[in-house]
Amino acid sequence: MMATRLKQFGLLLFSMLICGVAFFQMFERTTGGFPQNYLWMLAFVGALFLTSWGLPLRFQPYANQAIMCCVMVLTGTGIMMIARIDQDSNTSVAFKQLLWLSIALVLANLLVIFMKDYRVLRRFSYVSMVIGLVLLLSPMLPVIGSEQYGARIWVKIPGLGSFQPSEFAKLFLAFFFASYLYDHRDQLAVGGKKVLGLQLPRIKDLGPIIVVWIVSMGVLVVQHDLGTSLMFFAMFVSMLYVATGRTSWIVIGFIAFAVGAFAAANIFSHVGARVDAWLHPFDSAQYNKEYGGSYQLVTGIFGLASGGLMGTGLGQGHPSLTPIANSDYIYAALGEELGLTGLMAILMLYLLIIAAVLILLNTYPLLACQTLVFQAKQSILTEAQMIASNLAELGELGESGVEQVMTLVGDSNLTRIVVTNFVMVETGQPLHYYDLSKLPHHEITVVDDVEMTMQALDGQDVYHASFRDNAFRSEAAAPVIYCGNTIGGVYLYKYDTEQAEILLGLQSNLRNITLVVCVFAVLVSVILSRMMTRRMNDLLAAIRAFHSGSDTQPISVK
């Protein structure tokens, strides 16, 4: 454990070095020196990251800190590029971003200290829902709400600028969704009629997904924010699938959102304008639009093209030419100065975070469920102790007395009950025991596989549980003590497949989610790569044709 922690600490220091070198190189090339305000602020943020690494060692010793290095490099790279754009735009967005980052790290550290068990959030499920909806709708308020570039998703705070409350609403609504689905997963898992081989849910169980669909479409229509509405709806549908394991919810959710988005694109002009600009960015009509056109998109593509494979270098490009490059098009700005190689490194960091989350998703819930089952099955030791107490009143473990006591507990759900007579061991005879399943035939069996009984004969209470061969197996043994002497032992064994089936079903659902996420990530990566490659190739061909002087014919770049 300590070796792993030291490796993680070394990676964190290396991540801090990467960020520090990037800031130093950028400032040296743009301003000729390192600004003092940034120097102290970055040192403070670095100290907060080190604190975030150290606190879990004390309060959450089993926490996985592998992704902290990736998060730090991504955060530092993004703020560095924002600071780079600030130099050309004469703004101070990066410094405010560092203030927000400091606040976020302080709050995260407080959570690590004071929130011992995340399950306490279930007590505030509906409070989380109210807070999430208030944050989501707060940009619509007339005083603090602000509309920028056609989307009303901002809230102004004096001194700190503006922020998107939907980023915080994600957390609170996720808490509410998780709590709601936990409490109602049994009802939602009940299937209705089958249509085309798909088990549809009952009509009365469609209420939650209809409500969330309406809220998502409302965000899309009122706030003009397609991304946020898609994120909320996808989050709820995926959590619904995790809770119930029914693929029908995924299909219904996808169809519902596709229908709503298609209708919104045709009914509301701002949604259709975004889609047209994405499909035909180089069309002159789209490019020259004052609002909702493709000027920003095309400028970002030019920036990516000028970056090439290795980039222009930090501080040597022109990322500020792209409108709102420090927010919407930070990826294009990074591609211009870091090149395709730097972008691939950034994407790899995201993939590492996704891989770590998927590994955790496939291990922690299963381990937690196994631990809960093992704790619940520890009651078998109490049963063994009760049987031993009743047998101790006999004074001697004869066949008739043992049969009488064991018959009383014979209707329990235990798989096997065994009582061993210690007197046979003292007289040098082979160790025998009374098996409940063989008492009606008056058979005495020689011990061959009950090792825990020997520990019980030494006066020890023994318990052991395991999960193997798709079943939970729990064993317990307790000594039978009469007048201070051990006269025998009780051995209980239980074989449970019902709870094992539940655990295996959860494992199957998690594996399917992992597979879907991986396939989706691969498909999106392939599609976007082909689209970007085709457009950049067309653009580079047009640039080469222009430089060679063969521009007598109009060049079409679609």
Side-chain angles (χ1 to χ4, degrees), residues 378 380-382 384-385 451-457 459-464 475-479 490-492:
Q378 200 166 358
I380 192 175
L381 179 59
T382 305
Q385 292 169 342
E451 298 178 0
M452 300 182 68
T453 309
M454 298 301 297
Q455 294 176 277
L457 296 179
Q460 303 177 27
D461 291 331
V462 189
Y463 167 73
H464 178 261
E475 304 171 275
V490 176
Y491 169 81
L492 304 184

mmCIF file with all atom_site columns, all heavy atoms in Angstrom, residues 378 380-382 384-385 451-457 459-464 475-479 490-492:
data_model
loop_
_atom_site.group_PDB
_atom_site.id
_atom_site.type_symbol
_atom_site.label_atom_id
_atom_site.label_alt_id
_atom_site.label_comp_id
_atom_site.label_asym_id
_atom_site.label_entity_id
_atom_site.label_seq_id
_atom_site.pdbx_PDB_ins_code
_atom_site.Cartn_x
_atom_site.Cartn_y
_atom_site.Cartn_z
_atom_site.occupancy
_atom_site.B_iso_or_equiv
_atom_site.pdbx_formal_charge
_atom_site.auth_seq_id
_atom_site.auth_comp_id
_atom_site.auth_asym_id
_atom_site.auth_atom_id
_atom_site.pdbx_PDB_model_num
ATOM 1   N N   . GLN A 1 378 ? -23.099 -13.567 8.731  1.00 0.00 ? 378 GLN A N   1
ATOM 2   C CA  . GLN A 1 378 ? -22.386 -13.836 9.966  1.00 0.00 ? 378 GLN A CA  1
ATOM 3   C C   . GLN A 1 378 ? -23.338 -14.287 11.069 1.00 0.00 ? 378 GLN A C   1
ATOM 4   O O   . GLN A 1 378 ? -22.911 -14.795 12.110 1.00 0.00 ? 378 GLN A O   1
ATOM 5   C CB  . GLN A 1 378 ? -21.608 -12.592 10.414 1.00 0.00 ? 378 GLN A CB  1
ATOM 6   C CG  . GLN A 1 378 ? -20.480 -12.890 11.382 1.00 0.00 ? 378 GLN A CG  1
ATOM 7   C CD  . GLN A 1 378 ? -19.538 -11.723 11.531 1.00 0.00 ? 378 GLN A CD  1
ATOM 8   O OE1 . GLN A 1 378 ? -19.709 -10.691 10.879 1.00 0.00 ? 378 GLN A OE1 1
ATOM 9   N NE2 . GLN A 1 378 ? -18.532 -11.864 12.372 1.00 0.00 ? 378 GLN A NE2 1
ATOM 10  N N   . ILE A 1 380 ? -24.995 -16.811 10.994 1.00 0.00 ? 380 ILE A N   1
ATOM 11  C CA  . ILE A 1 380 ? -24.903 -18.267 11.104 1.00 0.00 ? 380 ILE A CA  1
ATOM 12  C C   . ILE A 1 380 ? -24.079 -18.669 12.321 1.00 0.00 ? 380 ILE A C   1
ATOM 13  O O   . ILE A 1 380 ? -24.309 -19.720 12.930 1.00 0.00 ? 380 ILE A O   1
ATOM 14  C CB  . ILE A 1 380 ? -24.309 -18.865 9.817  1.00 0.00 ? 380 ILE A CB  1
ATOM 15  C CG1 . ILE A 1 380 ? -24.468 -20.382 9.789  1.00 0.00 ? 380 ILE A CG1 1
ATOM 16  C CG2 . ILE A 1 380 ? -22.842 -18.491 9.655  1.00 0.00 ? 380 ILE A CG2 1
ATOM 17  C CD1 . ILE A 1 380 ? -24.012 -21.015 8.493  1.00 0.00 ? 380 ILE A CD1 1
ATOM 18  N N   . LEU A 1 381 ? -23.128 -17.820 12.718 1.00 0.00 ? 381 LEU A N   1
ATOM 19  C CA  . LEU A 1 381 ? -22.336 -18.099 13.921 1.00 0.00 ? 381 LEU A CA  1
ATOM 20  C C   . LEU A 1 381 ? -23.217 -18.010 15.165 1.00 0.00 ? 381 LEU A C   1
ATOM 21  O O   . LEU A 1 381 ? -23.069 -18.816 16.101 1.00 0.00 ? 381 LEU A O   1
ATOM 22  C CB  . LEU A 1 381 ? -21.169 -17.118 14.009 1.00 0.00 ? 381 LEU A CB  1
ATOM 23  C CG  . LEU A 1 381 ? -20.248 -17.263 15.229 1.00 0.00 ? 381 LEU A CG  1
ATOM 24  C CD1 . LEU A 1 381 ? -19.642 -18.650 15.277 1.00 0.00 ? 381 LEU A CD1 1
ATOM 25  C CD2 . LEU A 1 381 ? -19.153 -16.202 15.208 1.00 0.00 ? 381 LEU A CD2 1
ATOM 26  N N   . THR A 1 382 ? -24.142 -17.049 15.176 1.00 0.00 ? 382 THR A N   1
ATOM 27  C CA  . THR A 1 382 ? -25.073 -16.933 16.303 1.00 0.00 ? 382 THR A CA  1
ATOM 28  C C   . THR A 1 382 ? -25.948 -18.176 16.400 1.00 0.00 ? 382 THR A C   1
ATOM 29  O O   . THR A 1 382 ? -26.228 -18.671 17.506 1.00 0.00 ? 382 THR A O   1
ATOM 30  C CB  . THR A 1 382 ? -25.941 -15.679 16.139 1.00 0.00 ? 382 THR A CB  1
ATOM 31  O OG1 . THR A 1 382 ? -25.099 -14.534 15.986 1.00 0.00 ? 382 THR A OG1 1
ATOM 32  C CG2 . THR A 1 382 ? -26.848 -15.487 17.341 1.00 0.00 ? 382 THR A CG2 1
ATOM 33  N N   . ALA A 1 384 ? -25.094 -21.183 15.428 1.00 0.00 ? 384 ALA A N   1
ATOM 34  C CA  . ALA A 1 384 ? -24.254 -22.262 15.957 1.00 0.00 ? 384 ALA A CA  1
ATOM 35  C C   . ALA A 1 384 ? -24.094 -22.143 17.463 1.00 0.00 ? 384 ALA A C   1
ATOM 36  O O   . ALA A 1 384 ? -24.131 -23.151 18.194 1.00 0.00 ? 384 ALA A O   1
ATOM 37  C CB  . ALA A 1 384 ? -22.892 -22.237 15.265 1.00 0.00 ? 384 ALA A CB  1
ATOM 38  N N   . GLN A 1 385 ? -23.940 -20.930 17.950 1.00 0.00 ? 385 GLN A N   1
ATOM 39  C CA  . GLN A 1 385 ? -23.793 -20.722 19.392 1.00 0.00 ? 385 GLN A CA  1
ATOM 40  C C   . GLN A 1 385 ? -25.081 -21.089 20.142 1.00 0.00 ? 385 GLN A C   1
ATOM 41  O O   . GLN A 1 385 ? -25.036 -21.657 21.238 1.00 0.00 ? 385 GLN A O   1
ATOM 42  C CB  . GLN A 1 385 ? -23.410 -19.271 19.667 1.00 0.00 ? 385 GLN A CB  1
ATOM 43  C CG  . GLN A 1 385 ? -22.016 -18.914 19.185 1.00 0.00 ? 385 GLN A CG  1
ATOM 44  C CD  . GLN A 1 385 ? -21.752 -17.418 19.232 1.00 0.00 ? 385 GLN A CD  1
ATOM 45  O OE1 . GLN A 1 385 ? -22.683 -16.609 19.309 1.00 0.00 ? 385 GLN A OE1 1
ATOM 46  N NE2 . GLN A 1 385 ? -20.472 -17.038 19.163 1.00 0.00 ? 385 GLN A NE2 1
ATOM 47  N N   . GLU A 1 451 ? -13.202 -29.408 8.766  1.00 0.00 ? 451 GLU A N   1
ATOM 48  C CA  . GLU A 1 451 ? -11.999 -28.999 9.476  1.00 0.00 ? 451 GLU A CA  1
ATOM 49  C C   . GLU A 1 451 ? -12.287 -27.982 10.572 1.00 0.00 ? 451 GLU A C   1
ATOM 50  O O   . GLU A 1 451 ? -11.581 -27.929 11.572 1.00 0.00 ? 451 GLU A O   1
ATOM 51  C CB  . GLU A 1 451 ? -11.005 -28.406 8.475  1.00 0.00 ? 451 GLU A CB  1
ATOM 52  C CG  . GLU A 1 451 ? -10.549 -29.394 7.409  1.00 0.00 ? 451 GLU A CG  1
ATOM 53  C CD  . GLU A 1 451 ? -9.603  -28.756 6.426  1.00 0.00 ? 451 GLU A CD  1
ATOM 54  O OE1 . GLU A 1 451 ? -9.314  -27.557 6.602  1.00 0.00 ? 451 GLU A OE1 1
ATOM 55  O OE2 . GLU A 1 451 ? -9.143  -29.445 5.494  1.00 0.00 ? 451 GLU A OE2 1
ATOM 56  N N   . MET A 1 452 ? -13.323 -27.157 10.362 1.00 0.00 ? 452 MET A N   1
ATOM 57  C CA  . MET A 1 452 ? -13.603 -26.106 11.335 1.00 0.00 ? 452 MET A CA  1
ATOM 58  C C   . MET A 1 452 ? -14.033 -26.677 12.679 1.00 0.00 ? 452 MET A C   1
ATOM 59  O O   . MET A 1 452 ? -13.913 -26.014 13.709 1.00 0.00 ? 452 MET A O   1
ATOM 60  C CB  . MET A 1 452 ? -14.686 -25.160 10.790 1.00 0.00 ? 452 MET A CB  1
ATOM 61  C CG  . MET A 1 452 ? -14.306 -24.464 9.500  1.00 0.00 ? 452 MET A CG  1
ATOM 62  S SD  . MET A 1 452 ? -15.581 -23.318 8.928  1.00 0.00 ? 452 MET A SD  1
ATOM 63  C CE  . MET A 1 452 ? -15.492 -22.056 10.189 1.00 0.00 ? 452 MET A CE  1
ATOM 64  N N   . THR A 1 453 ? -14.537 -27.906 12.696 1.00 0.00 ? 453 THR A N   1
ATOM 65  C CA  . THR A 1 453 ? -14.963 -28.508 13.954 1.00 0.00 ? 453 THR A CA  1
ATOM 66  C C   . THR A 1 453 ? -13.785 -28.681 14.909 1.00 0.00 ? 453 THR A C   1
ATOM 67  O O   . THR A 1 453 ? -13.935 -28.556 16.126 1.00 0.00 ? 453 THR A O   1
ATOM 68  C CB  . THR A 1 453 ? -15.636 -29.865 13.689 1.00 0.00 ? 453 THR A CB  1
ATOM 69  O OG1 . THR A 1 453 ? -16.637 -29.698 12.691 1.00 0.00 ? 453 THR A OG1 1
ATOM 70  C CG2 . THR A 1 453 ? -16.262 -30.413 14.946 1.00 0.00 ? 453 THR A CG2 1
ATOM 71  N N   . MET A 1 454 ? -12.617 -28.968 14.382 1.00 0.00 ? 454 MET A N   1
ATOM 72  C CA  . MET A 1 454 ? -11.442 -29.146 15.226 1.00 0.00 ? 454 MET A CA  1
ATOM 73  C C   . MET A 1 454 ? -11.112 -27.864 15.975 1.00 0.00 ? 454 MET A C   1
ATOM 74  O O   . MET A 1 454 ? -10.742 -27.890 17.146 1.00 0.00 ? 454 MET A O   1
ATOM 75  C CB  . MET A 1 454 ? -10.244 -29.589 14.370 1.00 0.00 ? 454 MET A CB  1
ATOM 76  C CG  . MET A 1 454 ? -10.452 -30.922 13.666 1.00 0.00 ? 454 MET A CG  1
ATOM 77  S SD  . MET A 1 454 ? -10.784 -32.278 14.821 1.00 0.00 ? 454 MET A SD  1
ATOM 78  C CE  . MET A 1 454 ? -9.249  -32.290 15.745 1.00 0.00 ? 454 MET A CE  1
ATOM 79  N N   . GLN A 1 455 ? -11.288 -26.700 15.326 1.00 0.00 ? 455 GLN A N   1
ATOM 80  C CA  . GLN A 1 455 ? -11.057 -25.441 16.014 1.00 0.00 ? 455 GLN A CA  1
ATOM 81  C C   . GLN A 1 455 ? -12.119 -25.209 17.082 1.00 0.00 ? 455 GLN A C   1
ATOM 82  O O   . GLN A 1 455 ? -11.833 -24.669 18.146 1.00 0.00 ? 455 GLN A O   1
ATOM 83  C CB  . GLN A 1 455 ? -11.069 -24.286 15.005 1.00 0.00 ? 455 GLN A CB  1
ATOM 84  C CG  . GLN A 1 455 ? -9.913  -24.330 14.022 1.00 0.00 ? 455 GLN A CG  1
ATOM 85  C CD  . GLN A 1 455 ? -10.014 -23.219 12.992 1.00 0.00 ? 455 GLN A CD  1
ATOM 86  O OE1 . GLN A 1 455 ? -10.717 -23.343 12.003 1.00 0.00 ? 455 GLN A OE1 1
ATOM 87  N NE2 . GLN A 1 455 ? -9.311  -22.137 13.242 1.00 0.00 ? 455 GLN A NE2 1
ATOM 88  N N   . ALA A 1 456 ? -13.344 -25.629 16.809 1.00 0.00 ? 456 ALA A N   1
ATOM 89  C CA  . ALA A 1 456 ? -14.396 -25.493 17.804 1.00 0.00 ? 456 ALA A CA  1
ATOM 90  C C   . ALA A 1 456 ? -14.118 -26.378 19.013 1.00 0.00 ? 456 ALA A C   1
ATOM 91  O O   . ALA A 1 456 ? -14.400 -26.005 20.160 1.00 0.00 ? 456 ALA A O   1
ATOM 92  C CB  . ALA A 1 456 ? -15.753 -25.842 17.192 1.00 0.00 ? 456 ALA A CB  1
ATOM 93  N N   . LEU A 1 457 ? -13.550 -27.563 18.783 1.00 0.00 ? 457 LEU A N   1
ATOM 94  C CA  . LEU A 1 457 ? -13.220 -28.449 19.900 1.00 0.00 ? 457 LEU A CA  1
ATOM 95  C C   . LEU A 1 457 ? -12.115 -27.865 20.770 1.00 0.00 ? 457 LEU A C   1
ATOM 96  O O   . LEU A 1 457 ? -11.963 -28.258 21.931 1.00 0.00 ? 457 LEU A O   1
ATOM 97  C CB  . LEU A 1 457 ? -12.796 -29.827 19.368 1.00 0.00 ? 457 LEU A CB  1
ATOM 98  C CG  . LEU A 1 457 ? -13.895 -30.605 18.628 1.00 0.00 ? 457 LEU A CG  1
ATOM 99  C CD1 . LEU A 1 457 ? -13.352 -31.934 18.131 1.00 0.00 ? 457 LEU A CD1 1
ATOM 100 C CD2 . LEU A 1 457 ? -15.098 -30.836 19.531 1.00 0.00 ? 457 LEU A CD2 1
ATOM 101 N N   . GLY A 1 459 ? -12.272 -24.861 21.735 1.00 0.00 ? 459 GLY A N   1
ATOM 102 C CA  . GLY A 1 459 ? -12.949 -23.787 22.464 1.00 0.00 ? 459 GLY A CA  1
ATOM 103 C C   . GLY A 1 459 ? -13.080 -22.488 21.697 1.00 0.00 ? 459 GLY A C   1
ATOM 104 O O   . GLY A 1 459 ? -13.350 -21.446 22.292 1.00 0.00 ? 459 GLY A O   1
ATOM 105 N N   . GLN A 1 460 ? -12.935 -22.503 20.381 1.00 0.00 ? 460 GLN A N   1
ATOM 106 C CA  . GLN A 1 460 ? -12.987 -21.285 19.572 1.00 0.00 ? 460 GLN A CA  1
ATOM 107 C C   . GLN A 1 460 ? -14.284 -21.230 18.771 1.00 0.00 ? 460 GLN A C   1
ATOM 108 O O   . GLN A 1 460 ? -14.758 -22.249 18.267 1.00 0.00 ? 460 GLN A O   1
ATOM 109 C CB  . GLN A 1 460 ? -11.805 -21.231 18.597 1.00 0.00 ? 460 GLN A CB  1
ATOM 110 C CG  . GLN A 1 460 ? -10.443 -21.315 19.251 1.00 0.00 ? 460 GLN A CG  1
ATOM 111 C CD  . GLN A 1 460 ? -9.340  -21.327 18.224 1.00 0.00 ? 460 GLN A CD  1
ATOM 112 O OE1 . GLN A 1 460 ? -9.488  -20.797 17.126 1.00 0.00 ? 460 GLN A OE1 1
ATOM 113 N NE2 . GLN A 1 460 ? -8.219  -21.936 18.564 1.00 0.00 ? 460 GLN A NE2 1
ATOM 114 N N   . ASP A 1 461 ? -14.840 -20.006 18.662 1.00 0.00 ? 461 ASP A N   1
ATOM 115 C CA  . ASP A 1 461 ? -15.940 -19.754 17.735 1.00 0.00 ? 461 ASP A CA  1
ATOM 116 C C   . ASP A 1 461 ? -15.334 -19.402 16.380 1.00 0.00 ? 461 ASP A C   1
ATOM 117 O O   . ASP A 1 461 ? -14.463 -18.531 16.284 1.00 0.00 ? 461 ASP A O   1
ATOM 118 C CB  . ASP A 1 461 ? -16.813 -18.601 18.224 1.00 0.00 ? 461 ASP A CB  1
ATOM 119 C CG  . ASP A 1 461 ? -17.598 -18.968 19.467 1.00 0.00 ? 461 ASP A CG  1
ATOM 120 O OD1 . ASP A 1 461 ? -17.915 -20.160 19.630 1.00 0.00 ? 461 ASP A OD1 1
ATOM 121 O OD2 . ASP A 1 461 ? -17.869 -18.071 20.286 1.00 0.00 ? 461 ASP A OD2 1
ATOM 122 N N   . VAL A 1 462 ? -15.773 -20.066 15.322 1.00 0.00 ? 462 VAL A N   1
ATOM 123 C CA  . VAL A 1 462 ? -15.161 -19.915 14.007 1.00 0.00 ? 462 VAL A CA  1
ATOM 124 C C   . VAL A 1 462 ? -16.247 -19.554 12.992 1.00 0.00 ? 462 VAL A C   1
ATOM 125 O O   . VAL A 1 462 ? -17.352 -20.118 13.025 1.00 0.00 ? 462 VAL A O   1
ATOM 126 C CB  . VAL A 1 462 ? -14.442 -21.209 13.568 1.00 0.00 ? 462 VAL A CB  1
ATOM 127 C CG1 . VAL A 1 462 ? -13.638 -20.951 12.304 1.00 0.00 ? 462 VAL A CG1 1
ATOM 128 C CG2 . VAL A 1 462 ? -13.541 -21.725 14.675 1.00 0.00 ? 462 VAL A CG2 1
ATOM 129 N N   . TYR A 1 463 ? -15.898 -18.612 12.094 1.00 0.00 ? 463 TYR A N   1
ATOM 130 C CA  . TYR A 1 463 ? -16.821 -18.231 11.017 1.00 0.00 ? 463 TYR A CA  1
ATOM 131 C C   . TYR A 1 463 ? -16.003 -18.007 9.749  1.00 0.00 ? 463 TYR A C   1
ATOM 132 O O   . TYR A 1 463 ? -14.915 -17.420 9.776  1.00 0.00 ? 463 TYR A O   1
ATOM 133 C CB  . TYR A 1 463 ? -17.585 -16.950 11.353 1.00 0.00 ? 463 TYR A CB  1
ATOM 134 C CG  . TYR A 1 463 ? -18.307 -16.336 10.169 1.00 0.00 ? 463 TYR A CG  1
ATOM 135 C CD1 . TYR A 1 463 ? -19.456 -16.923 9.642  1.00 0.00 ? 463 TYR A CD1 1
ATOM 136 C CD2 . TYR A 1 463 ? -17.819 -15.175 9.569  1.00 0.00 ? 463 TYR A CD2 1
ATOM 137 C CE1 . TYR A 1 463 ? -20.102 -16.368 8.542  1.00 0.00 ? 463 TYR A CE1 1
ATOM 138 C CE2 . TYR A 1 463 ? -18.464 -14.611 8.482  1.00 0.00 ? 463 TYR A CE2 1
ATOM 139 C CZ  . TYR A 1 463 ? -19.600 -15.219 7.970  1.00 0.00 ? 463 TYR A CZ  1
ATOM 140 O OH  . TYR A 1 463 ? -20.239 -14.668 6.880  1.00 0.00 ? 463 TYR A OH  1
ATOM 141 N N   . HIS A 1 464 ? -16.529 -18.461 8.626  1.00 0.00 ? 464 HIS A N   1
ATOM 142 C CA  . HIS A 1 464 ? -15.873 -18.263 7.337  1.00 0.00 ? 464 HIS A CA  1
ATOM 143 C C   . HIS A 1 464 ? -16.928 -18.195 6.245  1.00 0.00 ? 464 HIS A C   1
ATOM 144 O O   . HIS A 1 464 ? -17.904 -18.955 6.261  1.00 0.00 ? 464 HIS A O   1
ATOM 145 C CB  . HIS A 1 464 ? -14.892 -19.405 7.037  1.00 0.00 ? 464 HIS A CB  1
ATOM 146 C CG  . HIS A 1 464 ? -14.234 -19.280 5.701  1.00 0.00 ? 464 HIS A CG  1
ATOM 147 N ND1 . HIS A 1 464 ? -14.674 -19.977 4.588  1.00 0.00 ? 464 HIS A ND1 1
ATOM 148 C CD2 . HIS A 1 464 ? -13.187 -18.529 5.297  1.00 0.00 ? 464 HIS A CD2 1
ATOM 149 C CE1 . HIS A 1 464 ? -13.914 -19.662 3.562  1.00 0.00 ? 464 HIS A CE1 1
ATOM 150 N NE2 . HIS A 1 464 ? -13.002 -18.791 3.954  1.00 0.00 ? 464 HIS A NE2 1
ATOM 151 N N   . GLU A 1 475 ? -19.839 -20.870 6.623  1.00 0.00 ? 475 GLU A N   1
ATOM 152 C CA  . GLU A 1 475 ? -19.625 -21.926 7.600  1.00 0.00 ? 475 GLU A CA  1
ATOM 153 C C   . GLU A 1 475 ? -19.397 -21.297 8.970  1.00 0.00 ? 475 GLU A C   1
ATOM 154 O O   . GLU A 1 475 ? -18.827 -20.203 9.075  1.00 0.00 ? 475 GLU A O   1
ATOM 155 C CB  . GLU A 1 475 ? -18.400 -22.769 7.224  1.00 0.00 ? 475 GLU A CB  1
ATOM 156 C CG  . GLU A 1 475 ? -18.447 -23.374 5.829  1.00 0.00 ? 475 GLU A CG  1
ATOM 157 C CD  . GLU A 1 475 ? -17.120 -24.005 5.462  1.00 0.00 ? 475 GLU A CD  1
ATOM 158 O OE1 . GLU A 1 475 ? -16.244 -23.267 4.977  1.00 0.00 ? 475 GLU A OE1 1
ATOM 159 O OE2 . GLU A 1 475 ? -16.961 -25.225 5.679  1.00 0.00 ? 475 GLU A OE2 1
ATOM 160 N N   . ALA A 1 476 ? -19.820 -22.014 9.988  1.00 0.00 ? 476 ALA A N   1
ATOM 161 C CA  . ALA A 1 476 ? -19.592 -21.554 11.363 1.00 0.00 ? 476 ALA A CA  1
ATOM 162 C C   . ALA A 1 476 ? -19.478 -22.770 12.270 1.00 0.00 ? 476 ALA A C   1
ATOM 163 O O   . ALA A 1 476 ? -20.103 -23.812 12.034 1.00 0.00 ? 476 ALA A O   1
ATOM 164 C CB  . ALA A 1 476 ? -20.724 -20.641 11.829 1.00 0.00 ? 476 ALA A CB  1
ATOM 165 N N   . ALA A 1 477 ? -18.685 -22.639 13.309 1.00 0.00 ? 477 ALA A N   1
ATOM 166 C CA  . ALA A 1 477 ? -18.511 -23.718 14.282 1.00 0.00 ? 477 ALA A CA  1
ATOM 167 C C   . ALA A 1 477 ? -18.406 -23.103 15.668 1.00 0.00 ? 477 ALA A C   1
ATOM 168 O O   . ALA A 1 477 ? -17.829 -22.023 15.849 1.00 0.00 ? 477 ALA A O   1
ATOM 169 C CB  . ALA A 1 477 ? -17.274 -24.548 13.970 1.00 0.00 ? 477 ALA A CB  1
ATOM 170 N N   . ALA A 1 478 ? -18.989 -23.785 16.659 1.00 0.00 ? 478 ALA A N   1
ATOM 171 C CA  . ALA A 1 478 ? -18.967 -23.300 18.041 1.00 0.00 ? 478 ALA A CA  1
ATOM 172 C C   . ALA A 1 478 ? -18.786 -24.489 18.982 1.00 0.00 ? 478 ALA A C   1
ATOM 173 O O   . ALA A 1 478 ? -19.308 -25.586 18.721 1.00 0.00 ? 478 ALA A O   1
ATOM 174 C CB  . ALA A 1 478 ? -20.267 -22.555 18.366 1.00 0.00 ? 478 ALA A CB  1
ATOM 175 N N   . PRO A 1 479 ? -18.050 -24.319 20.073 1.00 0.00 ? 479 PRO A N   1
ATOM 176 C CA  . PRO A 1 479 ? -17.834 -25.428 21.018 1.00 0.00 ? 479 PRO A CA  1
ATOM 177 C C   . PRO A 1 479 ? -19.056 -25.659 21.904 1.00 0.00 ? 479 PRO A C   1
ATOM 178 O O   . PRO A 1 479 ? -19.796 -24.723 22.224 1.00 0.00 ? 479 PRO A O   1
ATOM 179 C CB  . PRO A 1 479 ? -16.641 -24.949 21.832 1.00 0.00 ? 479 PRO A CB  1
ATOM 180 C CG  . PRO A 1 479 ? -16.741 -23.457 21.794 1.00 0.00 ? 479 PRO A CG  1
ATOM 181 C CD  . PRO A 1 479 ? -17.308 -23.113 20.458 1.00 0.00 ? 479 PRO A CD  1
ATOM 182 N N   . VAL A 1 490 ? -20.282 -27.835 17.315 1.00 0.00 ? 490 VAL A N   1
ATOM 183 C CA  . VAL A 1 490 ? -21.384 -27.704 16.356 1.00 0.00 ? 490 VAL A CA  1
ATOM 184 C C   . VAL A 1 490 ? -20.832 -27.072 15.084 1.00 0.00 ? 490 VAL A C   1
ATOM 185 O O   . VAL A 1 490 ? -20.107 -26.064 15.131 1.00 0.00 ? 490 VAL A O   1
ATOM 186 C CB  . VAL A 1 490 ? -22.526 -26.834 16.916 1.00 0.00 ? 490 VAL A CB  1
ATOM 187 C CG1 . VAL A 1 490 ? -23.618 -26.635 15.860 1.00 0.00 ? 490 VAL A CG1 1
ATOM 188 C CG2 . VAL A 1 490 ? -23.101 -27.456 18.158 1.00 0.00 ? 490 VAL A CG2 1
ATOM 189 N N   . TYR A 1 491 ? -21.165 -27.646 13.960 1.00 0.00 ? 491 TYR A N   1
ATOM 190 C CA  . TYR A 1 491 ? -20.735 -27.129 12.667 1.00 0.00 ? 491 TYR A CA  1
ATOM 191 C C   . TYR A 1 491 ? -21.961 -26.883 11.795 1.00 0.00 ? 491 TYR A C   1
ATOM 192 O O   . TYR A 1 491 ? -22.816 -27.765 11.640 1.00 0.00 ? 491 TYR A O   1
ATOM 193 C CB  . TYR A 1 491 ? -19.794 -28.137 11.989 1.00 0.00 ? 491 TYR A CB  1
ATOM 194 C CG  . TYR A 1 491 ? -19.503 -27.812 10.542 1.00 0.00 ? 491 TYR A CG  1
ATOM 195 C CD1 . TYR A 1 491 ? -18.545 -26.875 10.204 1.00 0.00 ? 491 TYR A CD1 1
ATOM 196 C CD2 . TYR A 1 491 ? -20.194 -28.461 9.515  1.00 0.00 ? 491 TYR A CD2 1
ATOM 197 C CE1 . TYR A 1 491 ? -18.269 -26.589 8.875  1.00 0.00 ? 491 TYR A CE1 1
ATOM 198 C CE2 . TYR A 1 491 ? -19.930 -28.178 8.180  1.00 0.00 ? 491 TYR A CE2 1
ATOM 199 C CZ  . TYR A 1 491 ? -18.965 -27.241 7.870  1.00 0.00 ? 491 TYR A CZ  1
ATOM 200 O OH  . TYR A 1 491 ? -18.700 -26.958 6.561  1.00 0.00 ? 491 TYR A OH  1
ATOM 201 N N   . LEU A 1 492 ? -22.075 -25.655 11.241 1.00 0.00 ? 492 LEU A N   1
ATOM 202 C CA  . LEU A 1 492 ? -23.192 -25.294 10.362 1.00 0.00 ? 492 LEU A CA  1
ATOM 203 C C   . LEU A 1 492 ? -22.638 -24.874 9.003  1.00 0.00 ? 492 LEU A C   1
ATOM 204 O O   . LEU A 1 492 ? -21.577 -24.242 8.911  1.00 0.00 ? 492 LEU A O   1
ATOM 205 C CB  . LEU A 1 492 ? -24.001 -24.135 10.951 1.00 0.00 ? 492 LEU A CB  1
ATOM 206 C CG  . LEU A 1 492 ? -24.565 -24.319 12.370 1.00 0.00 ? 492 LEU A CG  1
ATOM 207 C CD1 . LEU A 1 492 ? -25.411 -23.114 12.744 1.00 0.00 ? 492 LEU A CD1 1
ATOM 208 C CD2 . LEU A 1 492 ? -25.383 -25.598 12.465 1.00 0.00 ? 492 LEU A CD2 1
#
